[in-house]
Amino acid sequence: MKKYFIVFGLLFLFNSCNKNTVVVNNPYLPNYSFSVNVDLSLPSNSNLQFAGNGVKIVGQGAGIRGLFVFNTGSGYTAFDMACPNQNLGACSTMTLSGMNAVCPCDSKLYSLYTGLCAGMTYPLKAYRIETNGTVLRVYN
């Protein structure tokens, strides 16, 4: 019987350390499943070829309010354009401002490197990215 507890304990430990596990449950933002391909060879996405630049991806199936995809220099980040500390409403779609996303509801700046904003409860809603040649797959 003792062996079973050890086995189940180890399984729980390894499953809880999965890097794809969502840690933050934001009550303002729903979890939608989606998958969007971003082709880096297209002129509209050419900024992503250089570190410190980002683009907006909007349209059907791109997150809640659209996506920010950002080149950190060592990889890419993808965040939702919905303000993470506001109810979804008329002013809760963020804008891109250099290396930051700005929430027009409260003028708070969120880093596109980390998704964080000093003093705020919730970070930007992050999404997963897979790189395949010149195409990024952003998904949840």
Side-chain angles (χ1 to χ4, degrees):
M1 189 68 158
K2 194 178 206 182
K3 292 178 188 177
Y4 291 115
F5 286 120
I6 292 172
V7 171
F8 285 122
L10 288 173
L11 286 174
F12 177 75
L13 177 66
F14 287 117
N15 284 332
S16 65
C17 294
N18 184 348
K19 71 176 183 176
N20 291 327
T21 303
V22 176
V23 177
V24 177
N25 289 322
N26 188 325
Y28 299 113
L29 304 178
N31 282 320
Y32 295 139
S33 294
F34 71 93
S35 180
V36 174
N37 289 329
V38 180
D39 190 344
L40 300 177
S41 64
L42 294 176
S44 59
N45 300 327
S46 63
N47 280 350
L48 287 175
Q49 296 176 13
F50 307 100
N53 287 317
V55 297
K56 294 188 316 183
I57 308 294
V58 292
Q60 192 75 348
I64 301 166
R65 292 286 173 101
L67 306 171
F68 292 122
V69 180
F70 187 74
N71 183 338
T72 65
S74 62
Y76 296 93
T77 58
F79 298 105
D80 204 284
M81 290 174 54
C83 295
N85 291 286
Q86 302 289 332
N87 287 317
L88 293 176
C91 72
S92 64
T93 301
M94 302 182 84
T95 58
L96 185 62
S97 178
M99 293 182 265
N100 296 302
V102 181
C103 180
C105 299
D106 54 16
S107 300
K108 297 292 184 180
L109 295 173
Y110 293 81
S111 168
L112 290 174
Y113 284 97
T114 63
L116 300 175
C117 177
M120 299 307 288
T121 304
Y122 299 104
L124 294 174
K125 184 172 187 65
Y127 295 119
R128 297 174 184 96
I129 296 182
E130 288 179 352
T131 305
N132 186 9
T134 63
V135 176
L136 302 177
R137 177 179 168 242
V138 181
Y139 65 100
N140 188 19

